[in-house]
């Protein structure tokens, strides 16, 4: 039995801002700032590879619902100034994050942020099936959090 058939969850949002596309890309690609932001939220991050962005990977750890969660994130695509893709893997889930910056005008751009979560075991499959019951509320929270992330990234530049 294939655990991945139709059970994953996808979230996506589009965020338009009145800034040039290159400036928006630089804001969402500021990995040092993102690491500091996660640390302030109690999330431990450790960069696995030093050097250029193309080889970056992180070990991320946090406590959620009384258990320690660990995720390995790998930067699989870094195409300045338009696309960043990350693959994540934890014991129960596989994740893919794709951020794309689209210029709409000289001083206006759009960030599309997509998250695809897929189960790796039966327990995770059941968790995602249950989460689908509240997908609309989760999508609203996702949209809000990505908007806050983007606004914070832009303000920090």
């Amino acid at each position: 039995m294939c655990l991945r058939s139709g059970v994953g969850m996808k979230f996506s949002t589009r965020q338009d801002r009145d800034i040039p596309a290159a400036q928006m890309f630089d804001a969402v690609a500021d990995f040092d700032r993102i690491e500091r932001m996660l640390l302030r939220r109690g999330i431990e991050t450790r960069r696995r590879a030093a050097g250029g962005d193309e080889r970056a990977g992180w070990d991320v750890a946090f406590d959620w619902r009384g258990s320690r969660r660990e995720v390995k994130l790998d930067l699989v695509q870094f195409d300045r100034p338009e696309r960043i893709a990350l693959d994540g893997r934890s014991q129960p889930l596989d994740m893919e994050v794709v951020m794309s910056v689209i210029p709409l005008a000289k001083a206006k751009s759009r960030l599309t942020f997509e998250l695809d979560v897929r189960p790796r075991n039966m327990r995770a499959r059941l968790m995602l099936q249950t989460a689908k019951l509240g997908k609309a509320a989760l999508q609203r929270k996702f949209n809000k959090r990505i908007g806050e992330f983007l606004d914070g990234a832009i303000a920090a530049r």
Side-chain angles (χ1 to χ4, degrees):
M1 180 167 113
C2 178
L3 293 178
R4 296 176 188 231
S5 59
V7 180
M9 284 185 74
K10 290 186 180 188
F11 297 94
S12 65
T13 186
R14 294 186 302 189
Q15 303 279 330
D16 294 350
R17 297 294 186 276
D18 292 326
I19 62 170
Q23 186 179 347
M24 181 181 282
F25 185 89
D26 290 341
V28 298
D30 186 350
F31 298 128
D32 292 330
R33 187 194 63 79
I34 293 169
E35 289 173 8
R36 288 189 305 272
M37 178 191 72
L38 293 172
L39 186 61
R40 284 191 302 271
R41 292 178 178 246
I43 300 170
E44 298 172 22
T45 61
R46 184 177 64 80
R47 200 176 293 203
R48 286 195 312 269
D53 296 332
E54 293 79 15
R55 300 181 331 197
W58 296 267
D59 293 325
V60 180
F62 55 95
D63 294 320
W64 186 58
R65 294 191 176 183
S67 296
R68 186 73 170 167
R69 312 296 175 156
E70 295 179 356
V71 178
K72 291 194 179 296
L73 283 173
D74 293 306
L75 184 65
V76 294
Q77 186 176 12
F78 190 87
D79 294 333
R80 187 178 298 277
E82 59 192 41
R83 188 175 170 96
I84 299 171
L86 299 159
D87 277 343
R89 185 177 183 130
S90 67
Q91 185 176 357
L93 301 169
D94 286 332
M95 295 153 271
E96 181 180 8
V97 176
V98 177
M99 296 177 277
S100 300
V101 176
I102 303 160
L104 300 175
K106 185 176 182 179
K108 186 170 184 156
S109 53
R110 171 176 293 157
L111 173 71
T112 60
F113 195 108
E114 300 169 327
L115 170 65
D116 185 11
V117 181
R118 296 172 308 280
R120 298 186 66 225
N121 57 40
M122 188 58 72
R123 186 173 180 185
R125 180 183 176 134
L126 293 172
M127 178 187 71
L128 287 179
Q129 285 178 329
T130 303
K132 282 184 179 182
L133 297 173
K135 176 106 173 18
L138 290 172
Q139 182 66 53
R140 281 191 301 275
K141 186 181 276 191
F142 180 79
N143 293 348
K144 181 181 176 197
R145 292 276 175 104
I146 297 304
E148 291 170 351
F149 161 73
L150 183 56
D151 291 339
I154 292 168
R157 298 233 59 33

